Amino acid sequence: MSDSTNTISFIREIYQSQDFIPLHEPRFIGNEKKYLLDAIDSTFVSSVGAYVDRFEEMMQGITKTKKTVAVVNGTSGIQVALRLVGVKSGDEVLTQALTFVATANAISYLGAKPVFIDVDLDTMGLSPNAVQSFLEEYGELRENGCYNKQTGNKIAACLPMHTFGFPVHISELTKICNEWNIPVVEDAAESLGSEFNGQPTGSFGEVGVFSFNGNKIVTSGGGGAIVTNNENLGLKAKYLTTTAKQPHAYEYVHDELGYNFRMPNLNAALACAQLENLNLFLGKKRELAKKYEEFFIGEDVKFRVELPGTIANYWLMCVELEDRKARDLFLKETNEAKVMTRPIWELMFRLPMYQDCLKDKQVNAKFLVDRIVNIPSSVK
Ligand SMILES: *Cc1c(COP(=O)(O)O)cnc(C)c1O
């Protein structure tokens, strides 16, 4: 039987609090108020402004990419990113069922269909081996891309997600996808600051997308960023998210169906101040992870640490319980003690709108969903 008494007192000691301890809270300890007031004083509060430009430049530096486009949220960023690589209505997109619903929703907004491929046990993200097996069984390379020979649909993209900031085996995955002529879009919403072999997540695929929602490692209130090393795709991203408007001094020329998805300058002001502290937050999260790692050695739950060759941003930290029963007890005891913990997401194919989607056996996803629990991870 699991007994979470030790865990509860350890977490209370870390946060020096007897009150409710949330899973993840933002920290505003830098230039947030200053930049927000400055944005208001400038009168540029909407989708054009100096902070939007600065935010985009900062993100290019952090992610080592050539072009960033700031958007209203991560979900719309993924939607646009998929469209940029050519995903159309009726196409299939390979992704994981073990993810936040936004990943699958972004595919559906384009009229495309998610195909759920299993995750790896070590990364909790899309498994290159599982993708390879699926493609060997169902994939067919044609002149203009890869098709699913059973459904006849185009497999137009692959959308891995770096779960809780732990990088997937991205090199292997992009290699397989290249062989099958399938563009990779990274859902890097949770992995700002994470690296794989020294390279930032989000910069491996054709396009990567980050989220700056209030619960992420840094926040703009609400917001997202599309990053790419392909300058043409970058320009196209800006164009599509700005109502597909052709640059002109005064005339309205919109020559495609676009979106109003640009990040307002007010949100960018908050984001700039937060990004200035990204390294500080990353360092503090590593310290916290280290403490958890040492503490959980003596407990009957396993604390998840980054894999060799990777750097995790430790956005949401997590433990692995022995089985579903132990998980449920741990969740009950901690939450009743007002120390917030939460199970990993329900698998996408168990949600009503995705229950008829194609999927493989999902052995690892089912194993993890029964055992993984997030624990309080805020920067102290
Ligand atoms: C947060 C998140 C998103 C979406 O971000 P929003 O900015 O909230 O739209 C997408 N995918 C994953 C995996 C996320 O965790």
Side-chain angles (χ1 to χ4, degrees), residues 263-315:
M263 180 191 278
N265 200 42
L266 272 180
N267 297 85
L270 192 65
C272 287
Q274 288 265 286
L275 283 179
E276 288 172 352
N277 279 328
L278 177 63
N279 283 334
L280 178 78
F281 293 164
L282 288 168
K284 284 182 177 271
K285 278 183 168 281
R286 295 192 82 72
E287 279 170 28
L288 177 58
K290 199 85 218 152
K291 283 186 191 160
Y292 272 139
E293 187 184 351
E294 280 160 17
F295 167 76
F296 281 112
I297 287 169
E299 297 295 302
D300 49 5
V301 298
K302 279 184 258 173
F303 181 73
R304 285 257 170 178
V305 293
E306 64 196 6
L307 297 177
T310 73
I311 289 179
N313 67 357
Y314 285 107
W315 166 56

Side-chain angles (χ1 to χ4, degrees), residues 358-373:
L358 295 178
K359 60 175 189 294
D360 62 8
K361 291 211 175 72
Q362 301 289 320
V363 177
N364 295 340
K366 287 176 184 167
F367 179 92
L368 291 167
V369 89
D370 282 343
R371 291 166 178 81
I372 296 291
V373 172

Side-chain angles (χ1 to χ4, degrees), residues 73-76 78 99-100 102-103 161 187 189-190 211-213 215-216 223 315 345:
N73 57 52
T75 313
S76 55
I78 301 168
T99 185
F100 178 56
T103 315
M161 195 280 282
D187 180 345
E190 307 184 349
S211 167
F212 293 84
N213 192 39
N215 65 343
K216 298 301 200 287
W315 166 56
W345 315 278

